[in-house]
Amino acid sequence: MPTIAIIGAGLSGLSLAHQLHADFDVTLFEKHYCAGGRMASRQHDKSWFDHGAQFFTAKTDAFNDFLSPLIKQGVIQVWNGNFIEFKGEQIVRRDSWTTEYPHWVGCPTMSAIGCSLSTSLQVNYSTLISSTIHTAQGWMLTDDNQQTFGPYDWLVFSLPPQQIAAITPPFISFKETLSNYEMRGCCALMLELDTSIKLEFDAAVVTDTNISWISVNNSKPERGNNTTVVVHSTNTWADSHQRSDLQQLKLQMIDEFCRVTKTQASYIKYSDIKRWQYANITKQTGPDYLIDTKHHAAACGDWCIQGRVEAAFTSAFQLAETINSER
Ligand SMILES: Cc1cc2nc3c(=O)[nH]c(=O)nc-3n(C[C@H](O)[C@H](O)[C@H](O)COP(=O)(O)OP(=O)(O)OC[C@H]3O[C@@H](n4cnc5c(N)ncnc54)[C@H](O)[C@@H]3O)c2cc1C
């Protein structure tokens, strides 16, 4: 059986591994201790926060088929949230999400999806790949502890383009193309509020401020009763504060959240912040994945299409079809 190494166990890497594992001996490499990438969740005491992807939609048959077993197991459920839109402090739109156009979330956390998808796969966790070389025997990988892995017949990079460029040899045909993709940052504020506080919405898009999104995390299924809130900054604000002190940014985001939702800061019991350097990307018009067939190397991820969970899947799905046809 041919061998394939996939660097990155986010949704694109995991989807690719599932599409290929019948015909390839697949090994994944993930720098974190768990899979899922930006479909991430963080814990504080008994509270969990989905501080990366908030929910996702599934438009294509291929993605719906892929999700189907996870939906049957209850790992993915529908979030029927009460949605509003703020323009500054003014509410300008209200909507109720329904099962007709499902907003899917992982249960009991967004990170449960990566955990579930990775159980049947061979993943090397806590392994940050720092270089890759192509030898006569195939691809060799080295991690930041100087441990080497390989050789592999195929190598796929399923991580953000800037991180791919840092570990791709110069002769790879798509290396220069990677600099065309501009990923944007995002700061994620996590708050636990006093349980007496009931916000009048479950999810909100915010315009005209430095924050773009607020979700009441515990309004998603299986999240418990603690009032947990996730607030995202705009990409522009995060990018213009890349070097600012995170604790200062946290205080600024708390001020903005309190102003928009008219919540008193004294009701905040816990707060934390995470800076995503490569959070999102606007809609792209190029190919769904990049490939160098001569060297059996490829790259996939949401960034090829759009900063969405379904885009990460589609990029990997299309690449899997091509790799299978190249065998
Ligand atoms: C704040 C935020 C909000 C979002 N909201 C939504 C939303 O509401 N709806 C939606 O559809 N999408 C949303 N997204 C986007 C969505 O999360 C992504 O589109 C999707 O998760 C990307 O998956 P991926 O596999 O392409 O990349 P990633 O999830 O980034 O996976 C890459 C993986 O590679 C690993 N890695 C990186 N470098 C190395 C290395 N050198 N060695 C080993 N491993 C490495 C990383 O740890 C990671 O696990 C959001 C993202 C963020 C950050």
Side-chain angles (χ1 to χ4, degrees), residues 20 24 154 289 318-327:
L20 293 177
F24 283 81
W154 275 88
Y289 55 84
Q318 299 296 349
L319 174 59
E321 297 217 324
T322 301
I323 290 178
N324 267 325
S325 69
E326 286 283 327
R327 275 199 321 127

Side-chain angles (χ1 to χ4, degrees), residues 125-201:
Y125 290 107
S126 305
T127 307
L128 189 150
I129 299 301
S130 52
S131 73
T132 58
I133 54 165
H134 192 242
T135 68
Q137 287 71 41
W139 282 99
M140 298 295 300
L141 280 52
T142 305
D143 74 4
D144 59 345
N145 292 319
Q146 301 310 313
Q147 198 179 345
T148 57
F149 306 88
Y152 299 99
D153 300 316
W154 275 88
L155 173 60
V156 176
F157 302 88
S158 61
L159 35 139
Q162 291 77 4
Q163 293 173 322
I164 298 176
I167 55 172
T168 313
F171 55 81
I172 289 299
S173 62
F174 55 77
K175 178 154 178 146
E176 276 189 21
T177 315
L178 294 167
S179 60
N180 297 342
Y181 296 89
E182 193 201 348
M183 298 234 19
R184 310 291 311 274
C186 177
C187 291
L189 173 70
M190 293 154 265
L191 301 173
E192 185 179 333
L193 306 182
D194 191 281
T195 42
S196 64
I197 298 293
K198 297 274 175 273
L199 295 175
E200 60 169 311
F201 60 87

Side-chain angles (χ1 to χ4, degrees), residues 7-14 29-32 34-40 51-57 110 124 127-130 158-160 163-164 167 183 186-188 213 232 276 278-280 300-303 306-313:
I7 307 175
L11 190 79
S12 58
L14 294 168
F29 295 88
E30 171 54 51
K31 69 178 177 182
H32 287 304
C34 63
R38 280 172 276 156
M39 297 178 77
H51 60 312
Q54 297 297 292
F55 67 86
F56 55 93
T57 53
M110 204 52 122
N124 288 301
T127 307
L128 189 150
I129 299 301
S130 52
S158 61
L159 35 139
Q163 293 173 322
I164 298 176
I167 55 172
M183 298 234 19
C186 177
C187 291
W213 169 264
H232 284 161
W276 294 97
Y278 306 116
N280 236 306
C300 66
D302 63 336
W303 51 272
Q306 188 180 15
R308 290 280 176 274
V309 169
E310 182 162 16
F313 168 82

Side-chain angles (χ1 to χ4, degrees), residues 39 41 50 54-56 74-77 104-113 220-223:
M39 297 178 77
S41 311
D50 300 327
Q54 297 297 292
F55 67 86
F56 55 93
V75 175
I76 293 177
Q77 296 183 32
W104 298 108
V105 293
C107 290
T109 61
M110 204 52 122
S111 57
I113 298 173
K220 298 176 184 177
E222 295 186 17
R223 263 49 177 197

